[in-house]
Amino acid sequence: EQTPEDDLSFIEVLDQMRVKLKQKSFSQIPQLTSTQELDLTNKFDLVPNDFEGTRRAVMIGINYVGHDPGELRGCHNDVGNMKKYIMDVHGFEEDNIHVLMDDGNHEEPNKDNIIAAYKRVVAESQPGDSIFLHYSGHGSRLRDSSGDEADGYDEVLVPLDFQDNGMISDDDLYDILVKGLPQGVHVVSLMDCCHSGTILDL
C-alpha cells in the first residue's frame, strides 16, 4: 500500500480505483453506499475528525485453502496490507483489530466466528467510536427468501465452512451491523468480493 502525498476526496479515490482496475483488465466497478448523505468532494478518511473515541476493526481474509474449485490467492495479503494501512495512516491499534484468516495462525473465518466478531465489535462500540470492516473473499447471491429484494436475490458472504453451515446474507449483516449499531458510532465497510454493492442492504 502507498500513502498518497495529497489528500484525496471520496470521488477522487473512486476514480483512481476505477483507473487502476481498468489498467489491470478487471471489469469490476467500485461502488459506494451510505446510510447518510455524503459530500463526495470532501477528503476521504476512514475516521471523521469529530470521532475521537476508540477505533476498532474486524478484518477477514479467506483464501479457501484446499478448496477445489474456489481457492483464492490474495485475500491474506489484502488483510495484511490493509491492516498496516489503517494502523500507519488512520491510527488503529493492534489490540483493537480482530483478524480472521484461514492461514492456521489466526481465528478461522467460519460462519459462527465471523458473525460473532461482527456482533462483538458492535457491542463494544460507544458513541464517538469508529469501526472499520474489511472482508476479502468470495461473495455470491441466493434466492431471496424474505421478499425484500427488488431483483429477487440476497447478496451473501461465503464463509470458510459454507458447504456445511451456509452463507451470511445481507439481511443478517444489516441486522447486526446497521440496525444493531449504537447511535453515534461511525462505520466504514470495505467488502472486496463479488455481489458486494448492496451487501449491507443500504
Side-chain angles (χ1 to χ4, degrees), residues 1-64:
E1 93 290 343
Q2 293 180 332
T3 303
E5 295 181 0
D6 300 319
D7 289 333
L8 302 177
S9 68
F10 280 89
I11 198 164
E12 288 170 332
V13 170
L14 290 170
D15 283 344
Q16 288 200 16
M17 289 172 66
R18 292 181 179 185
V19 169
K20 290 184 182 298
L21 287 169
K22 188 174 182 180
Q23 288 173 344
K24 294 180 180 293
S25 300
F26 290 109
S27 60
Q28 292 93 334
I29 299 174
Q31 298 186 41
L32 176 68
T33 56
S34 176
T35 58
Q36 301 178 10
E37 185 174 341
L38 284 177
D39 183 348
L40 297 183
T41 63
N42 284 344
K43 171 191 169 186
F44 171 81
D45 203 339
L46 295 183
V47 181
N49 290 332
D50 53 342
F51 281 77
E52 299 179 350
T54 302
R55 302 176 182 203
R56 297 181 177 86
V58 175
M59 311 189 74
I60 301 165
I62 314 177
N63 277 347
Y64 307 90

Side-chain angles (χ1 to χ4, degrees), residues 74 90 102 141 146 153 189:
H90 296 283
D102 55 336
R141 62 181 192 158
S146 60
Y153 289 90
S189 175

